[in-house]
């Protein structure tokens, strides 16, 4: 007998001929998650298993952050002998009060009793040994799960995981990562759909300092717990912002800044074989996120721009940020480059055909090239 983590996957079940590819990705991602704690991982009979870990709580914490998984259960593995199974079930339910139900699942059809029969037998033996328990098949307080597979696995706790699709199954994209609440949540939402992300952060020293940079790197580290690592590109953006501030209409300053960010991000994305950009924009949240502004921003892009938060309000976004662990870092009071040279009266309904004239005094190609060439790469694990 030994302790193992029983891992269930979700949406992968819906995949047809491609299911082996998804399962390999998923198993590899679980291996990567538990590698620092030395766990052994294998796939067998519609389950992933993790064994040989000293700290099961840490193992659960790590595995629950692997996209593509539905739930996990710390379990006891034992031989497929009814008396041995009953002994372990009785021990697991020892001292518990209230109602319970035994859920049986027999994948090994050679086992002499079917799922309902051995569940009933185990339930009867548990009741005999623990008079403080009662059976409730509809709404039990305690759920004891017994699965007969290559071995028998017994568990009484199910911990929900993040769900989604395995990381890397849906391509690569570049996330514009600010120091705010929204962009880490946007990255999380796309990673949950199987997209592997790199992050691009724009910094404007001396207007933004080391604390702002450290904040972004901490956000990247928190996101990397879900992705198994992240490449962060730090873009020198001061010159672009100064040029925009000095040579462009003030009311369009933020919008033109966004257009430059998209141009630069697109070049970095191409260098990383990414097929899309990701932003944390929510429709109407600020002046640069009105429908008209978004049209003007996207006009400079040749690749898709994903905005997973576009229909969410701030409360919804904050709730997700708190759940995934980025909120407390995001609210630290260190300003990013988006707050530099903010116009007093930004244009909220810009016209696309006015943008070339508004940017006519800028050497767009040279500014983009200089920013891309000066970009620093930091790898977060």
């Amino acid at each position: 007998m030994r302790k193992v983590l029983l891992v269930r996957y979700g949406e992968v079940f819906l995949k047809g001929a491609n299911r082996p590819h998804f399962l390999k990705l998923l198993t590899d991602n679980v291996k990567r998650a538990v590698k620092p704690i030395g766990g052994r991982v294998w796939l067998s009979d519609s389950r992933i298993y993790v064994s040989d870990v000293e700290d099961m709580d840490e193992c659960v914490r790590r595995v629950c952050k692997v996209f593509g998984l539905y739930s996990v259960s710390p379990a006891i593995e034992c031989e497929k002998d009814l008396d041995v199974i009953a002994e372990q079930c009785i021990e697991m339910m020892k001292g518990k009060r209230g109602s319970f139900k035994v859920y049986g699942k027999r994948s090994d059809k050679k086992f002499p009793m079917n799922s309902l029969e051995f569940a009933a037998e185990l339930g009867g033996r548990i009741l005999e040994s623990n008079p403080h328990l009662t059976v409730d098949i509809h709404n039990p307080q305690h759920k004891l799960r017994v699965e007969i597979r290559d071995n028998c696995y017994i568990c009484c706790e199910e911990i929900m995981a993040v769900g989604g699709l395995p990381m890397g199954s849906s391509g690569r994209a570049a996330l514009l990562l600010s120091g705010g609440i929204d962009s880490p949540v946007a990255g999380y939402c796309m990673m949950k759909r199987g997209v592997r992300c790199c992050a691009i952060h724009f910094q404007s020293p001396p207007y933004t300092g080391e604390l702002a940079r450290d904040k972004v790197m901490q956000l990247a580290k928190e996101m990397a717990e879900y992705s198994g690592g992240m490449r962060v590109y730090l873009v020198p953006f001061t010159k672009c912002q100064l040029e925009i501030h000095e040579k462009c209409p003030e009311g369009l300053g933020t919008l033109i800044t966004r257009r430059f960010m998209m141009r630069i991000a697109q070049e970095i994305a191409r260098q990383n074989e990414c097929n899309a950009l990701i932003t944390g924009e929510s429709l109407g949240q600020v002046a640069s996120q009105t429908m008209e502004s978004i049209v003007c921003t996207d006009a400079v892009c040749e690749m898709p721009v994903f905005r997973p938060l576009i229909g969410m309000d701030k409360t919804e976004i904050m709730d997700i940020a708190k759940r995934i662990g980025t909120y407390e870092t995001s609210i630290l009071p260190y300003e990013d480059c988006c707050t530099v040279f903010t116009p007093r009266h930004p244009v909220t309904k810009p016209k696309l055909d006015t943008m070339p004239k508004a940017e006519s005094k800028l050497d767009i190609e040279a500014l983009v090239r200089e920013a891309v060439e000066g970009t620093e790469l930091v790898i977060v694990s």
Side-chain angles (χ1 to χ4, degrees):
M1 283 173 284
R2 61 175 175 172
K3 293 181 179 179
V4 301
L5 188 65
L6 189 65
V7 182
R8 305 173 186 87
Y9 45 86
E11 198 171 336
V12 173
F13 271 118
L14 302 176
K15 305 302 176 184
N18 291 326
R19 188 183 301 170
H21 167 67
F22 281 84
L23 287 176
K24 183 181 185 306
L25 276 176
L26 189 54
T27 306
D28 288 345
N29 291 343
V30 174
K31 288 178 180 178
R32 188 178 299 111
V34 301
K35 184 177 180 180
I37 56 175
R40 174 176 171 257
V41 178
W42 72 99
L43 171 69
S44 177
D45 193 17
S46 302
R47 292 284 186 267
I48 296 172
Y49 303 87
V50 185
S51 66
D52 303 332
V53 292
E54 293 184 5
D55 189 341
M56 184 57 75
D57 289 340
E58 177 63 11
C59 182
V60 168
R61 189 191 73 82
R62 288 174 173 272
V63 174
C64 280
K65 290 187 174 183
V66 176
F67 292 114
L69 300 181
Y70 175 74
S71 67
V72 304
S73 293
I76 296 294
E77 179 190 75
C78 66
E79 60 183 288
K80 292 180 285 187
D81 178 274
L82 186 61
D83 292 333
V84 173
I85 296 169
E87 182 182 346
Q88 289 300 314
C89 289
I90 290 169
E91 180 64 26
M92 197 168 285
M93 298 302 291
K94 187 177 180 179
K96 288 182 168 33
R97 294 172 178 267
S99 61
F100 81 105
K101 177 181 178 179
V102 177
Y103 293 81
K105 185 174 181 63
R106 185 190 65 161
S107 294
D108 180 3
K109 303 307 179 185
K110 295 179 181 179
F111 191 77
M113 305 172 75
N114 66 34
S115 299
L116 291 176
E117 288 171 345
F118 80 75
E121 176 66 22
L122 294 173
R125 296 195 191 190
I126 292 168
L127 279 176
E128 288 179 5
S129 65
N130 190 341
H132 299 294
L133 287 171
T134 59
V135 173
D136 184 345
I137 62 173
H138 300 295
N139 189 29
Q141 293 171 279
H142 306 288
K143 299 177 181 179
L144 185 66
R145 303 181 188 277
V146 182
E147 299 189 7
I148 308 294
R149 298 181 180 274
D150 51 342
N151 288 297
C152 177
Y153 299 92
I154 308 168
C155 56
C156 59
E157 182 182 15
E158 183 174 14
I159 303 161
M160 303 310 295
V162 289
L165 291 173
M167 177 68 63
S169 62
S170 298
R172 303 172 64 90
L175 168 69
L176 278 70
L177 180 64
S178 71
I181 296 171
D182 301 344
S183 56
V185 175
Y188 171 88
C189 289
M190 295 306 300
M191 289 192 296
K192 187 174 181 178
R193 300 312 303 160
V195 176
R196 186 169 296 282
C197 297
C198 65
I200 301 173
H201 176 68
F202 295 85
Q203 53 187 7
S204 297
Y207 304 101
T208 59
E210 286 299 314
L211 290 176
R213 173 184 167 129
D214 292 345
K215 173 183 175 179
V216 168
M217 298 310 300
Q218 179 61 31
L219 285 171
K221 184 177 180 179
E222 290 161 358
M223 295 178 67
E225 290 193 4
Y226 295 92
S227 63
M230 181 171 284
R231 298 167 70 88
V232 182
Y233 292 88
L234 301 170
V235 180
F237 202 51
T238 309
K239 185 172 181 179
C240 286
Q241 289 196 277
L242 287 172
E243 290 273 307
I244 293 167
H245 180 65
E246 293 171 2
K247 299 179 180 179
C248 298
E250 181 188 8
L252 294 173
T254 300
L255 179 57
I256 294 172
T257 297
R258 292 290 298 174
R259 283 163 62 91
F260 267 84
M261 286 180 171
M262 302 302 265
R263 291 177 174 117
I264 294 166
Q266 184 169 250
E267 291 305 311
I268 296 171
R270 285 170 173 159
Q271 293 174 9
N272 281 271
E273 299 181 346
C274 296
N275 294 317
L277 302 178
I278 304 167
T279 76
E281 290 163 303
S282 171
L283 188 62
Q285 189 175 112
V286 295
S288 63
Q289 296 176 19
T290 63
M291 190 173 295
E292 292 85 355
S293 294
I294 290 173
V295 168
C296 291
T297 301
D298 281 2
V300 302
C301 295
E302 296 176 0
M303 61 175 57
V305 181
F306 295 139
R307 296 179 171 90
L309 313 185
I310 196 70
M312 295 186 189
D313 63 31
K314 198 67 176 183
T315 301
E316 293 174 296
I317 298 169
M318 289 167 60
D319 287 344
I320 298 174
K322 291 173 183 177
R323 174 162 54 83
I324 67 177
T326 59
Y327 179 77
E328 293 300 327
T329 302
S330 292
I331 62 173
L332 292 174
Y334 309 129
E335 296 183 337
D336 58 34
C337 70
C338 295
T339 61
V340 178
F341 306 127
T342 302
R344 289 170 295 177
H345 304 290
V347 175
T348 59
K349 294 185 177 183
K351 302 295 184 182
L352 180 58
D353 57 7
T354 67
M355 298 312 299
K357 181 178 179 181
E359 296 176 336
S360 61
K361 295 181 179 179
L362 303 173
D363 189 338
I364 295 172
E365 185 177 337
L367 288 170
V368 170
R369 182 175 61 251
E370 184 174 344
V372 171
E373 290 175 353
T375 295
E376 174 189 358
L377 168 63
V378 179
I379 298 177
V380 177
S381 58

